[in-house]
């Protein structure tokens, strides 16, 4: 029998354009659920807690690509740097410096996405467009030998107003194009626009998302009472 998890993954995968990929957001879900998704062919997984992701990494197949999505404290960077595939949540230059330090020690180049604040809510993390421009204009980031900037990430306002959500995703796409032409003209690997979750991923794909981050639709509701 085909599991619900496998069915959801195959449905979402059918909707993806050829240059977009699915990250299955497995935070708060057990390793068995990840294995089900893995057996259905899924290889990219997203988590937002360092300890939880690291334990899963240690137990699960090594060809899984682990994407870190959450707020990252500097004292915990060292735990994920040896294996993480991409960090989506860069919201300051200082964080890049700290990641670079650990990346040099680990002998790895870390793919990072600049997180932009595109939602109306005050609570969401991320650079404003202007803060991000100033950081890139300052140019110091170019000296961070073990950081690779791969693109941008954003979260839309949590609303049923699809016009608003589409507007926010579109603004991130336009900003990505601006960065691409101003700072990354010769870098074809600055190419990711990480946007779209369970409730808005179709709108994100219509607006150029290359990485959708989907949890609930694949794995069901998260049980936060099991939080460590
Ligand atoms: C939890 C989370 C998701 C997945 O959310 P769903 O609504 O369950 O699809 C996506 N992105 C980030 C940054 C998250 O923290």
């Amino acid at each position: 029998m085909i599991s619900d998890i496998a069915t959801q993954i195959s449905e979402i995968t059918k909707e993806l354009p050829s240059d977009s990929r699915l990250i299955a957001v497995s935070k708060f879900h057990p390793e068995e659920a990840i294995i089900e998704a893995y057996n259905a062919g899924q290889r990219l997984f997203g988590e937002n807690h360092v300890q939880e992701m690291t334990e899963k990494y240690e137990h699960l197949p090594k060809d899984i690509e682990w994407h870190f999505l959450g707020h990252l404290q500097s004292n915990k960077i060292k735990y994920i740097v040896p294996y993480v595939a991409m960090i989506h949540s860069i919201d300051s230059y200082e964080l890049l410096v700290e990641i670079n330090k650990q990346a040099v020690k680990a002998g790895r180049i870390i793919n990072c996405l600049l997180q932009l604040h595109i939602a109306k809510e005050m609570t969401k993390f991320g650079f404003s467009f202007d803060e991000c421009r100033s950081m890139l204009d300052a140019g110091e980031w170019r000296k961070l030998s073990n950081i690779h900037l791969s693109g941008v990430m954003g979260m839309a306002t949590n609303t049923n107003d699809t016009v608003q959500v589409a507007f926010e995703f579109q603004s991130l796409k336009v900003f990505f194009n601006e960065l691409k032409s101003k700072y990354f003209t010769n870098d074809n690997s600055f190419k990711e626009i990480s946007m779209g979750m369970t409730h808005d991923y179709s709108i994100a794909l219509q607006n150029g998302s290359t990485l959708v981050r989907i949890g609930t639709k694949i794995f069901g509701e998260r049980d936060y009472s099991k939080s460590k």
Side-chain angles (χ1 to χ4, degrees), residues 146-163:
N146 289 47
I147 296 292
H148 177 257
L149 293 183
S150 310
V152 297
M153 181 271 217
M155 290 167 87
T157 306
N158 188 5
T159 171
N160 293 326
D161 182 351
T162 55
V163 174

Side-chain angles (χ1 to χ4, degrees), residues 202-213:
S202 300
I203 305 173
L205 287 170
Q206 285 156 19
N207 287 281
S209 172
T210 66
L211 290 170
V212 287
R213 311 176 309 265

Side-chain angles (χ1 to χ4, degrees), residues 105-119:
K105 279 190 200 163
R108 293 191 75 221
I109 307 276
I110 306 297
N111 295 311
C112 294
L113 301 182
L114 301 165
Q115 182 171 355
L116 278 307
H117 181 111
I118 55 171

Side-chain angles (χ1 to χ4, degrees), residues 25 27 48 69 153 155 197-198 213-216 222:
V25 180
K27 64 191 188 199
N48 70 346
L69 313 174
M153 181 271 217
M155 290 167 87
M197 308 171 30
T198 293
R213 311 176 309 265
I214 301 179
T216 309
R222 288 177 284 275

